[in-house]
Amino acid sequence: MYFVHAANQAEKKLKTRSGETIRLVDLLDEGLKRAEQKLIEKGRDKELTKEQFNAAKENVAYGCIKYADLSHSRTNDYVFSFDKMLDDRGNTAAYLLYAYVRIRSIARNANVSQQKLKEAAIKEKIVLDQEKEWKLAKCLLRFPEVILKCLDDLMLHTLCEYLYETSNTFTEFYDSCYCIEKDRQTGKILKVNMNRLLLCEATANIIATGFHLLGIEPLERM
């Protein structure tokens, strides 16, 4: 299903290709149906409780609709597609929401609580040895600059692009730098790299803050 968002017209209405105006309630209801179908396809209905599944359905649907609009420049026209909006690849809220859940799960898998992370952030001196660690850290340090730019030009798509870049940079870091070392046979945790867990935590906090500014509610499990 595709809609054309006409940013340069005086009415600025979301319409079908045939020119019919779409009511917001219909758009949201369709988003809920599509999000539920997508989650069931991924088997989330079997992995999550009923409450968790309903929360994930609403957050994915409403978050993806908001992000699809805000990730484009408000001065340009664009084609709104539910298929693209719910794609967990590319610059979409679905991709970023899944990325956020994945990042949050790393500390849980290492049996490191949020309290331990907070204490480590105060006591530990972060040492960056690897190229991908530096790349991620530099990306995170640009967050205030991005916020100031959004405040200056009121263009939120800049924040969306930054969150997408941050998520991709994190993936490069995580693929190259181990955070948890486990025994391959027993699965027992042998070593936890706290420096890298703190980078994970900083990344998750920045993405969560970005979501908050965009009016999107992140989930710890999805």
Side-chain angles (χ1 to χ4, degrees):
M1 183 179 294
Y2 293 87
F3 307 105
V4 178
H5 178 280
N8 294 325
Q9 294 181 7
E11 294 179 325
K12 296 186 179 180
K13 291 182 178 179
L14 196 66
K15 298 182 178 181
T16 64
R17 289 191 181 278
S18 62
E20 298 175 359
T21 301
I22 301 298
R23 296 191 309 162
L24 178 59
V25 65
D26 294 332
L27 185 71
L28 296 176
D29 287 345
E30 181 68 18
L32 284 172
K33 293 177 184 177
R34 300 270 186 140
E36 181 176 24
Q37 181 182 359
K38 193 78 172 180
L39 289 168
I40 291 174
E41 288 175 1
K42 290 179 173 290
R44 297 298 193 267
D45 56 322
K46 298 179 176 62
E47 299 173 3
L48 302 174
T49 66
K50 183 178 180 180
E51 292 75 15
Q52 289 174 331
F53 182 82
N54 287 334
K57 177 179 69 175
E58 291 185 3
N59 286 22
V60 169
Y62 301 153
C64 286
I65 290 172
K66 289 179 182 178
Y67 192 88
D69 191 53
L70 296 175
S71 61
H72 294 85
S73 171
R74 57 183 170 79
T75 61
N76 297 330
D77 297 349
Y78 70 89
V79 175
F80 179 95
S81 162
F82 272 112
D83 292 334
K84 183 177 180 180
M85 176 191 78
L86 292 169
D87 195 344
D88 55 11
R89 298 164 296 178
N91 187 11
T92 66
Y95 170 76
L96 293 174
L97 285 166
Y98 282 117
Y100 176 82
V101 170
R102 177 192 180 197
I103 297 169
R104 283 297 191 202
S105 71
I106 296 170
R108 287 201 304 269
N109 292 337
N111 297 321
V112 177
S113 67
Q114 285 293 309
Q115 183 59 37
K116 287 184 179 179
L117 285 171
K118 290 179 182 178
E119 292 173 358
I122 296 172
K123 298 177 182 178
E124 296 281 340
K125 180 180 179 181
I126 297 181
V127 179
L128 306 177
D129 294 323
Q130 302 298 320
E131 175 190 352
K132 298 302 182 182
E133 292 174 328
W134 277 104
K135 184 176 180 180
L136 177 59
K138 289 177 180 178
C139 182
L140 298 179
L141 288 172
R142 286 177 36 230
F143 185 54
E145 171 190 330
V146 172
I147 297 302
L148 289 174
K149 187 177 187 306
C150 291
L151 288 172
D152 183 55
D153 60 19
L154 302 180
M155 295 286 196
L156 285 175
H157 71 279
T158 302
L159 175 58
C160 297
E161 290 170 357
Y162 170 77
L163 294 178
Y164 180 56
E165 177 190 351
T166 300
S167 182
N168 284 334
T169 304
F170 177 84
T171 298
E172 292 180 20
F173 154 78
Y174 190 69
D175 288 345
S176 302
C177 306
Y178 78 86
C179 297
I180 310 167
E181 187 177 344
K182 293 184 178 181
D183 185 287
R184 293 186 178 180
Q185 295 182 338
T186 65
K188 181 180 178 180
I189 296 175
L190 303 176
K191 183 179 179 181
V192 174
N193 190 311
M194 188 58 72
N195 276 350
R196 291 173 181 169
L197 277 189
L198 290 174
L199 274 178
C200 294
E201 181 70 4
T203 303
N205 286 340
I206 282 179
I207 293 176
T209 302
F211 280 153
H212 174 72
L213 294 172
L214 295 172
I216 297 173
E217 185 70 28
L219 292 168
E220 296 295 317
R221 301 177 188 272
M222 190 172 78

